[in-house]
Amino acid sequence: MKLVFVGVGGGAPSRWGLPGILLRRDSFSAIFDCGEGTQIKIIEKGLGINVDLIAITHMHADHVLGVLGLVQTMGLLSRERELVVLGPSELKDFLEESFRRTKFRPSFDLVFSDSYETKEFRITRFPTCHTVESYGYVIEEKEKRNLDAERLRREGIRDFRVFRELKAGKAVEYNGRLLKPEDYIIVTKGKKVVYTGDTKPCEKVVEASQGADVLIHDSTFVYNEEAHEYGHSNVIDAVNAAVRANVGTLVLYHYSARYDSVEPLLYEARRFFSRVVAPQPLDSLVIQ
């Protein structure tokens, strides 16, 4: 998976851009939140806006106002395949009313859903603790189960019928031996990415983030005593969630326009957690 942090700020427009994360996995692509200017940056960088899915965390303007323009541009490009849309309950009404008032109707179907799943991965949502209805998203690859064919060959077993049965999870009698599938199946855990959107400290976030490879957490302020009242997190809140959930990498996100540099946020986070990054607009992160 590859993440491109199109915009990393929040609230008022600033040098950080407004929230928008582009995810790519093989031929699949998705946008998580879509503030003003998201599609312009994507187009300018040639990243491709014809995504398969849009997921919105909540209906505040800095997270959602770019969606209408993005959908309209897809229509102008003669898109035909459906677009999956995840988000809060008001998102469908917002888009339908916007289409009506702007005299625009997409040339393709919008499929509103709570989740998305393929054979390789799933995207699910979970409630977060903001000032309005809000959700975070878990992007999780399914585990891979591969037959250790090399081990079988080293043991002199080359019968494809044995391979097939073991891969199907069945024990096999072979030359007086009982071959158990658990001895020959290699299980590889899939990668897990969690994006919180806007949230104050929240148990649901910690629960959803358990064992995540990457946690992208609201880090609006280094410290603001009113952060929680606004439904946002200070850096230490993001760090606490990362530690409690035992995540691999913490990504700070949704910086306040008051900051001219990410250094104060990074300094505060790295006092307590070393595996942390603070992306600039259009930075990317490859998850291997």
Side-chain angles (χ1 to χ4, degrees), residues 211-235:
D213 296 276
V214 175
L215 170 61
I216 308 164
H217 197 292
D218 180 332
S219 308
T220 306
F221 306 105
V222 175
Y223 178 74
N224 182 333
E225 63 182 11
E226 297 179 320
H228 300 172
E229 181 182 341
Y230 301 146
H232 289 296
S233 292
N234 293 308
V235 167

Side-chain angles (χ1 to χ4, degrees), residues 76-128:
L76 293 173
L77 294 174
S78 302
R79 180 189 178 111
E80 295 182 354
R81 76 181 190 279
E82 68 181 27
L83 173 68
V84 179
V85 181
L86 280 57
S89 56
E90 294 181 1
L91 181 58
K92 181 177 181 180
D93 290 342
F94 167 76
L95 289 175
E96 291 291 344
E97 181 65 14
S98 297
F99 296 153
R100 186 178 73 82
R101 298 229 175 227
T102 58
K103 315 302 180 187
F104 165 77
R105 173 58 53 178
S107 57
F108 50 91
D109 292 332
L110 272 64
V111 179
F112 294 88
S113 181
D114 295 334
S115 61
Y116 180 85
E117 187 165 358
T118 72
K119 292 180 180 179
E120 292 81 28
F121 66 94
R122 64 178 67 87
I123 299 173
T124 54
R125 71 182 194 182
F126 61 93
T128 61

